Amino acid sequence: MDKLHEECGVFGIFDMTRDDVAQTAYYGLVSLQHRGQESCGIAVNKDRDIYHYKDLGLVNDVFNNKILDSLQGNMAVGHVRYGTTGGKGRENAQPLVLRYLKGNLAIVHNGNLRNTDELKTEYERTGAIYQTTSDTEIVAYTIARQRAQSKSIEEAIERSMSILKGAYSLIVMSPQKLIAAKDPWGFRPLCMGKLNDGYVFASESCAFDAIGAEYIRELEPGEIVIADKNGIREIKAACGREKEKLCIFEYIYFSRPDSKIGGQLVYESRKLAGRILAKEHPVEADIVFGVPDSGVASGMGYSVESGIPYEDGFVKSRYIGRTFIKPNQIDREIGVRMKLNPLKTNIEGKRVVMVDDSIVRGTTCAIIVKLLRKAGAKEVHVRISSPPFLWPCYFGTDIPSRDALIANKLSLEEIRKFIDADSLGYLSIENLNAIVPNSDRTFCNACFTGDYAI
Ligand code: SF4
């Protein structure tokens, strides 16, 4: 599928009253699985020693009761990964666990640094040897170096924030503390919650719902939150250092619709995007539907605003994972058909509006339109709940280089012809921020505008 991927999801838990936190981390990671499907891992802290298990594969496949029972401790960090920088091999799976001057450290990271090469060369000159090709090791190395000159691990993280440039939502586990930190631009989400006597951190609040934790709030850009035996405290020295650049595409596609980001439910943003689309690109049609899963809420919003009835257009197979699809047209078609089967009874003889979240290369969209026509659609009107992708992303997603993006090569009319739609309309860049109403947040939209914060 010509779909985008988030690079990672992170989870952390601190609870001095329990030693089975790995179980909770496991459930948290299962609910963050959409953020990365290539590898996963959990590290626990037991009496200052760190034990961990990680491997390639989905959370459900990598972990079983025996492994989880062997991971006893009262704090844990967990990670799901989709690799865009560094290789996809086992060596890049996280948590990254290291032993240094002050003991053990485990780190999980979501995002991409922009000054990896620079830092890597600088550290190599002073003798650094790397075990991985991921920029998380650069983050860990920076924190470890700063720790040698700091009174505490949190001070080392605070110092590192002046050195690391880019997107990083981190959870660090030291011998006595669990520390969550977000870069001063706040590209990727990271929130905190309360679970019984302990504290939890996660990329998305859907992980809290799964484990029965209470959502407290999103971390501020540049904020560090420390959980230890004395409770919880914050360091806000780097807050406000940069203008916030929360990824707007988290609302459109990456995050789960039942997650709250910056206090706003993602589902509501998607529905709003659909309503705006209906106003910007109205059309006469018989039914409207969203492409599962991320297009569904926007399809409903389009229906509410336009008055066109919402009907399911596809049945999605829930049991297809990341199928390897050979890069030729026939196999691609089979790949799409295996995931999405048109509901002929709803489509035949109808003028349909199909709402999807984005078009990357256009190949999948063209196949979906073809499937609808084969199912008997009289007209197919495509509506996209984001503006056209014109630029790559350097902040933790795999939006590809400019020459792979169809909107960069073809005009709107040429794209319409390429996907064989009767009409095509994108959400306008002017109305993009309106999908997060009543918010004082400011957003990154660089993949649509080329306006990069770093
Ligand atoms: S470039 Fe696009 S995908 Fe990347 S962080 Fe910015 S808005 Fe998100």
Side-chain angles (χ1 to χ4, degrees):
M1 295 281 275
D2 181 23
K3 280 289 180 188
L4 299 169
H5 300 97
E6 182 63 90
E7 198 180 39
C8 299
V10 296
F11 184 87
I13 176 166
F14 181 96
D15 189 342
M16 292 301 282
T17 66
R18 297 170 50 192
D19 59 8
D20 62 347
V21 291
Q23 294 278 351
T24 307
Y26 166 81
Y27 293 123
L29 291 184
V30 169
S31 48
L32 294 173
Q33 188 77 82
H34 59 287
R35 296 183 75 87
Q37 300 91 36
E38 285 178 358
S39 65
C40 60
I42 295 173
V44 293
N45 182 323
K46 174 84 172 161
D47 302 329
R48 297 170 157 249
D49 284 326
I50 291 178
Y51 303 90
H52 73 283
Y53 190 88
K54 57 185 177 180
D55 207 343
L56 299 178
L58 300 174
V59 182
N60 266 332
D61 299 330
V62 168
F63 288 97
N64 56 38
N65 280 334
K66 200 173 157 201
I67 295 167
L68 290 171
D69 286 346
S70 72
L71 294 171
Q72 295 287 308
N74 42 40
M75 53 174 143
V77 289
H79 193 263
V80 287
R81 180 170 197 264
Y82 171 82
T84 55
T85 63
K88 295 180 189 296
R90 190 175 271 107
E91 73 281 3
N92 283 329
Q94 295 186 32
L96 188 65
V97 179
L98 50 124
R99 206 174 161 73
Y100 77 125
L101 186 69
K102 300 285 182 180
N104 294 309
L105 212 61
I107 182 166
V108 288
H109 169 214
N110 174 208
N112 276 162
L113 293 185
R114 296 290 288 126
N115 59 340
T116 309
D117 292 347
E118 209 177 299
L119 292 174
K120 199 171 176 202
T121 311
E122 185 188 325
Y123 298 159
E124 270 168 348
R125 281 205 195 101
T126 52
I129 298 166
Y130 300 105
Q131 300 171 39
T132 76
T133 53
S134 94
D135 52 3
T136 306
E137 196 169 8
I138 302 295
V139 174
Y141 204 83
T142 304
I143 294 170
R145 274 167 72 108
Q146 293 306 312
R147 181 68 181 94
Q149 307 156 41
S150 309
K151 288 198 211 80
S152 64
I153 182 71
E154 55 269 33
E155 188 186 319
I157 294 173
E158 190 188 328
R159 283 168 174 256
S160 301
M161 280 186 161
S162 306
I163 299 166
L164 304 169
K165 303 277 179 243
Y168 53 90
S169 282
L170 301 174
I171 309 177
V172 178
M173 186 165 67
S174 77
Q176 299 186 71
K177 296 168 191 165
L178 188 72
I179 303 144
K182 198 192 255 191
D183 65 73
W185 296 267
F187 286 102
R188 307 258 72 89
L190 183 61
C191 54
M192 60 190 277
K194 182 102 180 71
L195 179 65
N196 305 321
D197 295 316
Y199 289 93
V200 281
F201 301 94
S203 294
E204 289 180 40
S205 66
C206 64
F208 298 163
D209 297 334
I211 60 173
E214 178 198 340
Y215 172 84
I216 299 178
R217 65 177 175 85
E218 185 86 21
L219 264 72
E220 288 176 36
E223 186 177 10
I224 300 169
V225 178
I226 306 114
D228 62 15
K229 64 178 181 355
N230 300 316
I232 204 136
R233 74 206 139 83
E234 298 113 29
I235 300 174
K236 299 199 176 192
C239 296
R241 191 182 284 169
E242 304 290 343
K243 189 173 179 192
E244 182 176 21
K245 289 289 176 186
L246 173 58
C247 171
I248 193 86
F249 207 59
E250 289 281 353
Y251 292 95
I252 295 164
Y253 173 69
F254 291 133
S255 291
R256 256 176 53 165
D258 52 340
S259 285
K260 259 188 209 165
I261 301 179
Q264 160 87 16
L265 191 67
V266 170
Y267 176 84
E268 291 299 339
S269 283
R270 291 190 187 159
K271 211 166 163 191
L272 202 46
R275 294 190 75 137
I276 298 167
L277 261 179
K279 284 188 206 156
E280 290 187 331
H281 303 286
V283 67
E284 282 194 15
D286 302 308
I287 64 162
V288 56
F289 53 83
V291 178
D293 292 312
S294 46
V296 170
S298 300
M300 287 183 176
Y302 196 101
S303 166
V304 170
E305 190 63 39
S306 64
I308 301 169
Y310 189 95
E311 296 280 356
D312 285 332
F314 294 98
V315 172
K316 183 182 173 182
S317 170
R318 307 277 157 204
Y319 305 103
I320 307 261
R322 292 177 57 74
T323 327
F324 175 71
I325 299 165
K326 287 188 203 123
N328 68 54
Q329 192 62 18
I330 292 170
D331 287 346
R332 265 205 204 113
E333 255 188 71
I334 292 171
V336 175
R337 276 209 306 267
M338 277 165 62
K339 281 196 172 179
L340 296 173
N341 198 17
L343 262 173
K344 203 170 175 183
T345 179
N346 286 348
I347 290 162
E348 198 163 24
K350 306 260 177 64
R351 299 168 298 171
V352 307
V353 181
M354 179 189 92
V355 184
D356 204 354
D357 52 79
S358 56
I359 301 179
V360 186
R361 294 171 180 83
T363 45
T364 299
C365 190
I367 293 169
I368 295 175
V369 173
K370 189 171 163 190
L371 293 181
L372 291 171
R373 293 207 185 278
K374 270 192 189 166
K378 205 156 84 182
E379 293 172 16
V380 181
H381 302 276
V382 175
R383 298 293 178 268
I384 303 297
S385 59
S386 65
F389 281 129
L390 296 171
W391 300 83
C393 174
Y394 301 107
F395 307 117
T397 80
D398 67 346
I399 297 175
S401 62
R402 297 197 78 193
D403 54 6
L405 298 169
I406 191 169
N408 212 27
K409 296 186 285 193
L410 304 183
S411 68
L412 184 74
E413 175 57 14
E414 286 168 336
I415 299 171
R416 184 198 68 73
K417 279 190 188 148
F418 179 83
I419 62 173
D420 190 28
D422 291 279
S423 72
L424 169 65
Y426 287 89
L427 186 76
S428 69
I429 191 74
E430 290 75 22
N431 278 326
L432 181 58
N433 287 3
I435 69 171
V436 194
N438 311 317
S439 171
D440 53 3
R441 306 243 160 200
T442 49
F443 301 98
C444 176
N445 60 12
C447 47
F448 309 118
T449 61
D451 181 14
Y452 293 101
I454 314 170

